[in-house]
Amino acid sequence: MAPAQSTIKSLHVAVIGAGAAGLVAARELRDENHSVVVFERDSKVGGLWVYTPESEVDPLSLDPNRTVVHSSVYDSLRTNLPRECMGYRDFPFVPQHDDESRDPRRYPTHKEVLAYLEDFAREFKLVEMVRFNTEVVLVEPDGLKWRVQSKNSDGISGDEIFDAVVVCNGHYTEPRVAHVPGIDSWPGKQIHSHNYRVPDPFKDQVVVVIGNFASGTDISRDIMAVAKEVHIASRSNSSETYKQLPGSDNLWLHSMIKSGNEDGSIVFENGKVVQADTIVHCTGYKYYFPFLNTNGYITVEDNCVGPLYKHVFPPALAPGLSFVGVPWMTLLFFMFELQSKWVAAVLSGRIKLPSEDKMMEDVTADYAIRDTHGLPKRYTHRLGAGNVQYLNWIAEQVGAPPGEQWRFQELDGGYVRLATRPDTFRDKWDDDHLIVEAYEDFLRQKLITSLPSELLESGN
Ligand code: FAD
């Protein structure tokens, strides 16, 4: 039963970050009558999609005192999912054919994603809620409320009390670096993909790229155009793996690295040896909340943030503290929107959370399932096969329709194409019928005014 009108609360809420998650969180919170302040340390909205040619001075980003560059986007980056399934549900990511500066392709460049997020912020008047150039440096409980300390680019500090804090700080900024035996004596250079922008510095080099998922495949192809040789090492390959990749004469796939040596050689588990100039670590990122002080209640262990009920609410601190955007391998923007609706409605009291004990039981049960499947902790927030169930569960909580079939099918098919056809998946596909379904759906919901004459620049 819906709670009586008098029990609906309007709270003062801080949102940390104005990326794709923070923007939609701000909108949903405001639509639920909360007053919202979004803290954003950058000077514009868009988060990860705000490309900068600058990278961090420390190429592996190991120094905790370094000046952090937020974005991990490289110059050549195009999306790794089709745009129809990538957008927010009620603001589809469709081509803007009337604006020549925009990229109409199905897998557009990073600039197009940023333009889309800027459109979203403009359309829903979100910018006025954002305090730019303001970094949150501390979030901690203060009685039943939350203290938020911040620092802006003029050096002015803020110390404020909020009823609730929604953490949307992203998790693609703090690199995870592969351990390579002997690396300390290996004389070459190392860089993490977080600090990779363009291939030019790798001209004529022998480069080893560790990691063969989205960034690893992209960056190895980017670099091979200028490098002498590129060797991809991946722990998901068997120890015998050694093959030259089709369509190239200087790109090889290997098993993982066995060792780096003083003489500059890199030895792979398959026995091959190369004299390498640089190692590029495309080995992912860590969840990192340097501003959060919960007296040790929330921990990050092997990239598992916990405890979090349904990846959003820490049971003992809910609903005052919540996280939007923790899961991965999913429809991110769509998930941000659903999680945000849930947080906003829980804060207003329109939706009730289970008791702390029940939430903890749920978290523990999730961990047990993960352990039964033999998955490491770092896969706790990888939705993978549980994706549809998770998103539809939240949709049900907030009274939204379940996710569209075409959206889930585009995600699944998109990941298969990415893994199996890394060189061509952005320009060739075989699911035009899903594009048609998506656009018909947008039209039915009056989110677009007509079907595009040529649906998208076809990839057939
Ligand atoms: P972010 O976009 O990272 O935003 C977080 C914001 O918080 C930033 O603006 C940051 O400045 C701010 N912030 C952080 N700390 C503080 C602080 N202490 N105080 C104030 N502000 C703070 N997803 C897709 O759906 N499709 C893709 O094709 C795709 N490609 C990707 C390619 C790469 C190389 C990477 C790394 C990720 C990709 N992703 C992709 C995932 C991408 O991260 C999400 O799409 C999405 O942009 C994440 O949004 P977010 O708001 O959670 O985080």
Side-chain angles (χ1 to χ4, degrees), residues 226-276:
V226 300
K228 189 167 158 211
E229 293 170 15
V230 179
H231 298 267
I232 303 174
S234 166
R235 68 175 167 200
S236 49
N237 294 336
S238 71
S239 56
E240 303 82 50
T241 305
Y242 174 63
K243 60 177 177 194
Q244 188 167 1
L245 290 173
S248 75
D249 56 7
N250 63 348
L251 182 62
W252 286 267
L253 189 62
H254 296 259
S255 49
M256 200 39 203
I257 298 175
K258 191 168 164 205
S259 64
N261 304 294
E262 250 175 87
D263 62 1
S265 64
I266 295 287
V267 180
F268 295 91
E269 281 173 358
N270 59 15
K272 300 289 170 197
V273 182
V274 297
Q275 291 292 325

Side-chain angles (χ1 to χ4, degrees), residues 40-59:
E40 172 50 62
R41 68 179 169 196
D42 206 333
S43 57
K44 54 195 292 197
V45 302
L48 175 103
W49 299 99
V50 181
Y51 172 79
T52 165
E54 278 158 38
S55 59
E56 294 175 9
V57 177
D58 170 7

Side-chain angles (χ1 to χ4, degrees), residues 325-344:
V326 169
W328 51 287
M329 285 287 277
T330 184
L331 297 160
L332 289 172
F333 291 24
F334 180 61
M335 178 190 78
F336 299 158
E337 191 174 352
L338 288 173
Q339 289 181 331
S340 299
K341 284 183 194 296
W342 190 34
V343 168

Side-chain angles (χ1 to χ4, degrees), residues 15-23 39-42 44-50 70 72-74 77-81 86 113 117 134-137 168-173 214-215 285 290-291 324-325 330-333 336 426:
V15 172
I16 304 174
L23 287 173
F39 291 88
E40 172 50 62
R41 68 179 169 196
D42 206 333
K44 54 195 292 197
V45 302
L48 175 103
W49 299 99
V50 181
H70 185 80
S72 301
V73 162
Y74 32 93
L77 183 80
R78 289 170 63 191
T79 64
N80 51 39
L81 284 177
M86 223 186 106
V113 185
L117 289 172
T134 308
E135 178 173 5
V136 169
V137 291
C168 306
N169 67 326
H171 46 91
Y172 294 99
T173 294
S215 299
Y285 294 86
F291 47 80
V324 169
T330 184
L331 297 160
L332 289 172
F333 291 24
F336 299 158
R426 293 186 173 95

Side-chain angles (χ1 to χ4, degrees), residues 36 79 94 233 262 275 297 304 399 413 444 451:
V36 184
T79 64
V94 292
E262 250 175 87
Q275 291 292 325
Y297 179 73
C304 165
R444 222 179 354 260
L451 285 178

